[in-house]
Amino acid sequence: MHTKNNFLFALVLLCLAALIPAAAQNASPKRTVVRAGKLLDVRSGKLLADQAIVIEGDKIVSVGPAAAVQPAASDTVIDLSKATVLPGLIDAHTHLTGDPKDVGYESLGISVPREALIGAKNARITLEAGFTTVRNVGADAFTDVALRDAINAGDVLGPRMRVSGPPLGITGGHCDNNFLAPEYHSSADGVADGIAEVQHKVRENIKYGADLIKICATGGVLSLGDDPQASQYTQEEMKAIVADAHRLGRKVAAHAHGAQGILWAAEAGVDSIEHGSYIDDAGIAEMKKNGTYLVPTLYLGDWFLANAEALHVPPPMIAKGRIVMPMARQNIAHAFASGVKVAFGTDAAVYPHGLNAHEFAVMVKLGLTPLQSIQAATINAADLLGWSDKVGAVEPGKWADIVAVNGDPLQDVTTLERVKFVMKGGEVVRDEYRK
């Protein structure tokens, strides 16, 4: 009886196999060959001529001289022989679910579902601008988690995302809601005070899908009633946040303008300082000692100060911007010269999404070389995100995320503001060379 059952089982398997087309049984990943006229090796800074990038499925399998690669008849060949090819760019400080007009009192009229839909729009714009990976550091009600998951499921076009969910902040601080009158008793999602509360909030954010933890270590510019130079979380609270986050496998990004908050956050062990407007030598030394990244957000100063009044930004916020933003450039230039680790970030949402690459020119103006600014948006940002094995370079084993531009970005970094070709995971998102 046992032998008979085995025979019947084998017969069923043979019948099922006969129903499956031979092509499906022998299916192999789609193979694509990209011919690059010039390929920037972001590690060495060398521009390699006449290269072929071979892609299978969503991964790069080889990179080398084009003459050594003979595409098969079934391969898809993409001709970028007149372009300069780079890894897909990474923005380590975005707010995809927000827009510039949503600052101040206007933000009170935006529902959580509307925010999520705004995020879907901005995700597409950001990807088409050449940013194939972003770190989203702050969104209401876990709308960034939903956006990340929708992109991963293929429901929405957008970059790869690492997301924080609601940022943690003190009552009445930069990451709280200070626009409503007291009788509303309104607090932002991430408000937590004291060691027990911040530990709970870290665990709650992770429970609901956060890839990292964002905290507000100091006051900010686009908030009412707080001072950007004043520290907000105590050092003990920040140490508790970092300890729990790191133990649970999450990195910590700290919004920090003021010098004391920068120093305390770096001493607490955060992985990155966002903005760093009043960074001083003590903070620089601590960050260098701990390997803490600085994520400056510089171009926003130009755009915000030119457009804030037309957007009806509350006057106290404009006044803070006029003081903090120029000061930030002086101090960030000093931090660059002092050799802090730098990762590229923009704070997109303070200005329109899609203009992210304007950040490169400001970084170069303040002392980085074009290559260093590009490294900040590739290998450095990949390291900060914990994805060095996945993104940040055109190398075998990494996701096939590439962009192409005309000209040489090492000579004119503004060419990155005019991306002509974008590929994410082996799929072409934008290709102006075929027009």
Side-chain angles (χ1 to χ4, degrees), residues 1-9:
M1 190 68 176
H2 181 70
T3 302
K4 183 178 179 181
N5 286 343
N6 286 345
F7 172 76
L8 290 173
F9 180 66

Side-chain angles (χ1 to χ4, degrees), residues 340-374:
V340 296
K341 291 166 63 175
V342 180
F344 183 100
T346 65
D347 216 0
V350 175
Y351 64 86
H353 298 272
L355 301 182
N356 312 58
H358 285 69
E359 188 79 15
F360 288 107
V362 186
M363 297 173 84
V364 170
K365 183 178 180 180
L366 296 185
L368 295 188
T369 66
L371 176 61
Q372 287 173 328
S373 74
I374 294 169

Side-chain angles (χ1 to χ4, degrees), residues 19-35:
L19 295 173
I20 301 173
Q25 295 183 50
N26 299 315
S28 57
K30 172 186 172 184
R31 193 169 186 267
T32 302
V33 178
V34 177
R35 296 195 175 278

Side-chain angles (χ1 to χ4, degrees), residues 52-220:
I53 305 162
V54 180
I55 299 161
E56 290 183 1
D58 62 353
K59 298 285 181 64
I60 298 169
V61 295
S62 69
V63 182
V69 176
Q70 297 300 320
S74 59
D75 291 349
T76 298
V77 178
I78 296 175
D79 183 12
L80 300 178
S81 59
K82 295 181 180 180
T84 300
V85 174
L86 304 88
L89 302 172
I90 304 168
D91 189 335
H93 192 120
T94 64
H95 299 281
L96 291 186
T97 59
D99 275 334
K101 63 181 178 57
D102 304 336
V103 172
Y105 292 102
E106 289 291 326
S107 64
L108 298 177
I110 301 170
S111 67
V112 168
R114 185 71 178 97
E115 238 183 88
L117 292 170
I118 289 168
K121 175 201 67 173
N122 290 332
R124 174 184 55 80
I125 291 170
T126 301
L127 178 59
E128 291 176 349
F131 288 82
T132 54
T133 301
V134 303
R135 189 180 63 156
N136 206 77
V137 284
D140 293 336
F142 299 95
T143 47
D144 56 353
V145 172
L147 179 60
R148 176 202 64 197
D149 293 349
I151 291 170
N152 290 346
D155 299 333
V156 173
L157 184 65
R160 307 180 191 281
M161 294 183 69
R162 302 286 266 175
V163 303
S164 72
L168 277 61
I170 66 168
T171 297
H174 176 63
C175 289
D176 196 5
N177 181 351
N178 292 334
F179 296 102
L180 288 170
E183 58 265 30
Y184 288 95
H185 301 287
S186 175
S187 291
D189 294 337
V191 169
D193 301 300
I195 290 174
E197 281 195 29
V198 298
Q199 287 177 319
H200 173 76
K201 191 59 68 173
V202 166
R203 296 168 190 178
E204 182 177 71
N205 277 17
I206 292 171
K207 172 183 178 179
Y208 293 123
D211 299 307
L212 69 140
I213 301 299
K214 162 76 176 295
I215 67 171
C216 289
T218 74

Side-chain angles (χ1 to χ4, degrees), residues 107-430:
S107 64
L108 298 177
I110 301 170
S111 67
V112 168
R114 185 71 178 97
E115 238 183 88
L117 292 170
I118 289 168
K121 175 201 67 173
N122 290 332
R124 174 184 55 80
I125 291 170
T126 301
L127 178 59
E128 291 176 349
F131 288 82
T132 54
T133 301
V134 303
R135 189 180 63 156
N136 206 77
V137 284
D140 293 336
F142 299 95
T143 47
D144 56 353
V145 172
L147 179 60
R148 176 202 64 197
D149 293 349
I151 291 170
N152 290 346
D155 299 333
V156 173
L157 184 65
R160 307 180 191 281
M161 294 183 69
R162 302 286 266 175
V163 303
S164 72
L168 277 61
I170 66 168
T171 297
H174 176 63
C175 289
D176 196 5
N177 181 351
N178 292 334
F179 296 102
L180 288 170
E183 58 265 30
Y184 288 95
H185 301 287
S186 175
S187 291
D189 294 337
V191 169
D193 301 300
I195 290 174
E197 281 195 29
V198 298
Q199 287 177 319
H200 173 76
K201 191 59 68 173
V202 166
R203 296 168 190 178
E204 182 177 71
N205 277 17
I206 292 171
K207 172 183 178 179
Y208 293 123
D211 299 307
L212 69 140
I213 301 299
K214 162 76 176 295
I215 67 171
C216 289
T218 74
V221 174
L222 300 184
S223 49
L224 293 177
D226 61 332
D227 180 356
Q229 293 199 61
S231 57
Q232 293 195 344
Y233 271 129
T234 67
Q235 194 170 29
E236 289 72 24
E237 287 170 321
M238 286 193 281
K239 285 179 179 178
I241 290 168
V242 171
D244 258 29
H246 284 179
R247 181 173 52 79
L248 295 171
R250 303 312 196 270
K251 294 190 176 187
V252 180
H255 159 103
H257 286 288
Q260 184 183 63
I262 292 169
L263 178 60
W264 281 2
E267 289 175 341
V270 302
D271 300 280
S272 62
I273 296 294
E274 314 296 308
H275 313 303
S277 301
Y278 290 92
I279 192 168
D280 61 10
D281 286 333
I284 289 168
E286 189 67 22
M287 290 173 67
K288 290 178 69 174
K289 184 180 79 173
N290 297 335
T292 311
Y293 274 98
L294 173 63
V295 183
T297 53
L298 299 161
Y299 172 70
L300 68 85
D302 294 338
W303 194 94
F304 176 82
L305 293 177
N307 293 276
E309 290 184 6
L311 291 171
H312 305 293
V313 174
M317 293 158 62
I318 297 176
K320 284 196 285 184
R322 287 174 176 158
I323 296 170
V324 175
M325 292 169 180
M327 184 62 66
R329 297 202 172 191
Q330 298 178 32
N331 294 326
I332 297 298
H334 176 62
F336 285 171
S338 300
V340 296
K341 291 166 63 175
V342 180
F344 183 100
T346 65
D347 216 0
V350 175
Y351 64 86
H353 298 272
L355 301 182
N356 312 58
H358 285 69
E359 188 79 15
F360 288 107
V362 186
M363 297 173 84
V364 170
K365 183 178 180 180
L366 296 185
L368 295 188
T369 66
L371 176 61
Q372 287 173 328
S373 74
I374 294 169
Q375 288 173 330
T378 52
I379 51 176
N380 289 10
D383 180 50
L384 174 58
L385 270 61
W387 273 3
S388 290
D389 59 334
K390 296 178 173 67
V391 297
V394 180
E395 296 171 347
K398 290 184 169 56
W399 281 317
D401 298 350
I402 65 174
V403 300
V405 297
N406 293 335
D408 181 357
L410 297 181
Q411 298 300 317
D412 179 7
V413 79
T414 68
T415 60
L416 297 176
E417 298 170 17
R418 300 176 290 278
V419 167
K420 304 295 184 182
F421 176 91
V422 181
M423 171 184 280
K424 177 193 169 192
E427 297 294 331
V428 176
V429 174
R430 178 178 186 176

